[in-house]
Amino acid sequence: MDIGVFLPTGQDQWAPGGGPRDLIGFARRAEELGFSSLFVNDSLLTPRIEPLTMLAAVAPVTERIGLGTGALLPVLRRPVQAAQALASVDLLSGGRLTVAVGAGFPGRFGRPLHELSQVPWERRFARLDETVALWRALWAGATEFHGEFHSFPELTPATRTFRPGGPPIWLGGATPAALARTGRRYDGWLPYPPDPADYATGLAAVRRAAREAGRAPEAVTPALFVNVRIEQDTESARRATDAYARSNYGLPLEEVAQIQALAIGSPDQVAATLRRYTEAGARRIVARLAALDLAGQYEQLERLAELLPSAAEPAGLTLPGRR
């Protein structure tokens, strides 16, 4: 199992007391600790470093750690330009890029993003699938592309990716339609269900859709997006995560816990939660550290690195520091 962490690219997570250039040191420390990947969020509604810019900055100063988006919102970018930017990051990293994408969802982080990007909200899932198909066609050297939303009778040579065919593309989401689309079209699944049982049910649906599409079920990487806060005192962990949820989403912890995976509490409690997800089938975990400043992010990074071996060794899985 691969264990990754999110870079704290939001301005509230590195200021005051730090700057975005400090995220380079955070990325290097994550690699030193043995984490397998660094992921970045995407949004226009909160001040943050643009995700592909961030990955381009850390690619040449790291060597082994994977780089990923979780989740990139293609609606925010013109599709051909996005394909070139993704190919560039894949080249700069030597083929270490994974691209998890999403179509947005109703509420604060859905329609407003489409309005800012001047792209219709309607049929957003079909638009997403076609954008991904266009990226793959460009990376494969296609000279033309014809779709419902994008049509190019003549394509000039595109920037080629490090790996033939481009980086793996995962889908976030756990609705029945998203599960079916993941199995049919995507290389991985990155949801954040609050109940491990729902993860197991969703993964079964993804694999069923893959088989029905003539794909091997194992072709879809099962990953998990989870919020993590480790404290010796459980109540302290809950208070810190509540403050993070209110800052990041404008919602209390109780509401976030209804829609997102959380592993918070003492080291033993967090380890037990992660074990339940690995038992449900997750093989790549990407942890977002619930801390409001850079010092707190570093502290949680170190605690997670110490914890993870006990979280997954019962399943016989490979973790940071135990390669």
Side-chain angles (χ1 to χ4, degrees), residues 94-249:
R96 290 182 280 143
L97 179 64
T98 295
V99 185
V101 298
F105 49 88
R108 177 187 172 192
F109 295 96
R111 278 184 189 274
L113 288 171
H114 283 250
E115 292 169 359
L116 286 170
S117 303
Q118 300 180 313
V119 175
W121 172 254
E122 293 71 25
R123 307 208 62 228
R124 60 192 183 279
F125 298 111
R127 185 182 295 273
L128 173 65
D129 288 344
E130 186 175 296
T131 297
V132 170
L134 172 58
W135 291 349
R136 287 171 168 161
L138 285 163
W139 296 334
T143 58
E144 60 182 301
F145 183 88
H146 301 282
E148 178 182 354
F149 305 99
H150 310 293
S151 186
F152 300 96
E154 183 176 352
L155 287 169
T156 57
T159 302
R160 295 297 183 91
T161 55
F162 184 87
R163 290 161 291 183
I169 302 180
W170 299 355
L171 184 65
T175 65
L179 298 175
R181 289 163 56 241
T182 301
R184 290 195 304 263
R185 300 172 181 268
Y186 290 83
D187 304 308
W189 183 46
L190 184 66
Y192 45 65
D195 187 340
D198 290 335
Y199 188 94
T201 301
L203 181 57
V206 167
R207 288 174 169 168
R208 183 167 56 251
R211 283 192 296 269
E212 291 171 354
R215 305 178 68 201
E218 297 76 19
V220 183
T221 299
L224 173 75
F225 179 136
V226 59
N227 298 280
V228 171
R229 179 76 188 200
I230 302 169
E231 298 285 348
Q232 291 297 331
D233 175 67
T234 303
E235 187 55 36
S236 295
R238 292 190 62 83
R239 285 197 302 269
T241 308
D242 180 70
Y244 180 83
R246 291 175 187 273
S247 175
N248 198 52
Y249 289 116

Side-chain angles (χ1 to χ4, degrees), residues 31 34 78 83 99 109 112 118 160 201 211 213 253 266 278 310 317:
E31 184 171 63
R78 300 303 301 165
V99 185
F109 295 96
Q118 300 180 313
R160 295 297 183 91
T201 301
R211 283 192 296 269
L253 175 60
S266 68
T278 62
S310 66
L317 302 171

Side-chain angles (χ1 to χ4, degrees), residues 7-11 14-15 17-26 48-49 54 57-58 294:
L7 276 164
T9 56
Q11 183 172 319
W14 44 259
R21 291 169 65 92
D22 295 323
L23 299 178
I24 300 298
F26 188 95
R48 67 176 63 245
I49 300 299
M54 187 75 252
V58 302
L294 197 58

Side-chain angles (χ1 to χ4, degrees), residues 5 237 252 282 305:
V5 292

